[in-house]
Amino acid sequence: MVNDRDAFKQRLDAARARQGLDRATGADAGKGGLPGGNWGIGFRAGVEVVSALVVGVGLGLLLDRWLGTWPWLFLVFFLLGSAAGVMNVYRLFNPRRLRKD
Amino acid sequence: MAVEGKAIDALSQFELATTFGPIGRAVGFTQSNLHMLIAGALIVALMVIGMRPRAMVPGRLQSLAESAYGFIDEMLLAQVGPEGRRFFPFVFTLFMFVLFGNMLGLFPYAFTYTSHISLTFTLAMLVFVLITVVAIALHGKHFFGYFFPEGAPLWLAPIIIPVEIVSYLSRPVSLSIRLFANMVAGHVMLKVFATFVVMLGALGTLGPLLSIMPLAINVALVGFEVLVAFLQAYVFAILTCIYLHDAVHLH
């Protein structure tokens, strides 16, 4: 019974692969996405940190202006922005989608 | 224009000016807009004229059009999966618009519209709004689970959630800054070395000989800029695909 099911699954997989239906999961590993190169990666990491900081500082300043709490939210969001920048860089090297669903 | 009062003036090439005389001035039609229209017309021409023969063995234009199509199609398939096909028109348009903007900017007297952050940020916001709408439409309330990864300890939530939100909001910023900074840096370098050529050339008898050096650098730089122009369009498109993957699959 179990064997039968496995055999069917194998044939189904083979058929799906032939039809190109499973290409997305199969080819995923090879074409990992972004072009490499030391300069490219370095520049990308820098941009990720800077943009997260820009968003954090911008949000903090806006909220401060709105709520009149200068400089506290600015400081908090500055830290959040830096943390988000570090996380962006971390995610650059360890993409989320490694986890298969 | 290159040398004005013995000073290097590398940034005036990014200034906007209206074209088409008084009509352009009345409606604020700049050379940037003109180049966008040219790029759009060229893209449409490439696809329409290139695909007209519909030959089994494609000619030059047709194979260019086909490989551009296949390039984005494969990228979407590999990055997003079969569900990604429905975003093909969006990503293809985006890629071609950025690519043609970068490439057109390399021609003499042309204007690089991708060197303005207002344009790149608008494109990035377009992507950002699209991925958010797609994620909410497909997953509803689960979209907000994106900001708190499963398995993380609950007491970390007050830290993780704001950090994730800031990180999510930084996507359009990083997307736009990357393209804009690359294009501006390349064009400034080209202009600076071109100015050196003119300055050294005016130095007297030895000048023209010396000015060969920056000229050689500029020749190499133009080749490098062609690479960057393509690479940045590619990066813009593939990051759009990666974000679309996140929006469609949403871990």
Side-chain angles (χ1 to χ4, degrees):
Chain A
M1 178 69 185
V2 176
N3 260 344
D4 262 352
R5 218 183 262 161
D6 282 353
F8 174 71
K9 196 175 177 309
Q10 270 170 17
R11 272 185 292 139
L12 181 66
D13 281 349
R16 285 180 69 91
R18 240 193 343 270
Q19 295 294 323
L21 287 173
D22 288 333
R23 255 168 74 192
T25 47
D28 214 3
K31 301 181 79 178
L34 290 160
N38 294 333
W39 277 94
I41 288 179
F43 186 73
R44 252 206 96 191
V47 167
E48 293 289 351
V49 173
V50 168
S51 56
L53 268 176
V54 164
V55 169
V57 168
L59 265 181
L61 286 177
L62 270 180
L63 286 176
D64 265 340
R65 234 168 104 183
W66 181 38
L67 300 169
T69 48
W70 166 262
W72 299 110
L73 284 176
F74 166 71
L75 292 176
V76 169
F77 273 90
F78 180 79
L79 289 180
L80 287 178
S82 355
V86 173
M87 204 165 69
N88 278 348
V89 174
Y90 173 77
R91 204 157 281 158
L92 191 63
F93 297 107
N94 302 298
R96 271 183 169 202
R97 58 237 195 73
L98 287 182
R99 218 185 317 161
K100 282 269 145 66
D101 29 320
Chain B
M1 187 171 158
V3 190
E4 278 160 14
K6 293 279 179 197
I8 298 174
D9 179 26
L11 291 177
S12 67
Q13 57 176 322
F14 302 117
E15 268 166 25
L16 289 172
T18 53
T19 46
F20 294 139
I23 305 166
R25 221 172 300 134
V27 294
F29 189 83
T30 63
Q31 84 271 50
S32 178
N33 300 126
L34 177 65
H35 282 88
M36 287 178 218
L37 286 184
I38 293 173
L42 283 178
I43 295 165
V44 172
L46 171 67
M47 296 319 279
V48 171
I49 299 175
M51 290 314 290
R52 188 162 289 159
R54 286 189 175 72
M56 195 62 120
V57 180
R60 288 195 197 104
L61 262 187
Q62 191 187 340
S63 67
L64 190 63
E66 279 179 3
S67 53
Y69 183 98
F71 184 64
I72 299 297
D73 191 50
E74 260 180 41
M75 185 193 291
L76 269 169
L77 213 56
Q79 298 295 330
V80 193
E83 316 91 307
R85 277 255 169 82
R86 71 177 99 156
F87 301 110
F88 177 83
F90 177 71
V91 179
F92 186 73
T93 312
L94 208 58
F95 172 75
M96 293 302 262
F97 187 64
V98 173
L99 179 69
F100 272 67
N102 293 351
M103 289 289 186
L104 273 180
L106 288 173
F107 285 97
Y109 299 107
F111 182 84
T112 326
Y113 54 75
T114 43
S115 65
H116 275 207
I117 192 138
S118 53
L119 181 121
T120 59
F121 190 69
T122 308
L123 291 181
M125 275 315 281
L126 214 63
V127 173
F128 181 73
V129 170
L130 177 83
I131 59 169
T132 312
V133 168
V134 164
I136 292 180
L138 286 183
H139 300 280
K141 262 185 264 167
H142 292 290
F143 166 68
F144 298 101
Y146 181 83
F147 296 113
F148 188 68
E150 281 171 56
L154 205 61
W155 59 270
L156 272 177
I159 303 172
I160 289 183
I161 291 175
V163 167
E164 285 278 359
I165 290 174
V166 171
S167 165
Y168 189 74
L169 289 178
S170 78
R171 280 174 172 190
V173 178
S174 72
L175 201 58
S176 55
I177 287 182
R178 187 173 306 116
L179 177 59
F180 148 81
N182 268 293
M183 297 325 287
V184 168
H187 282 262
V188 165
M189 282 215 289
L190 279 177
K191 191 63 164 269
V192 166
F193 283 110
T195 314
F196 283 165
V197 175
V198 179
M199 281 176 153
L200 282 174
L203 263 186
T205 40
L206 210 59
L209 245 142
L210 283 177
S211 69
I212 289 176
M213 284 186 296
L215 184 66
I217 292 178
N218 242 0
V219 171
L221 264 183
V222 169
F224 182 68
E225 280 306 302
V226 173
L227 173 77
V228 168
F230 175 76
L231 207 62
Q232 287 307 312
Y234 172 68
V235 166
F236 203 93
I238 205 161
L239 280 175
T240 306
C241 290
I242 290 174
Y243 294 159
L244 276 172
H245 171 96
D246 281 356
V248 171
H249 297 289
L250 204 72
H251 302 301

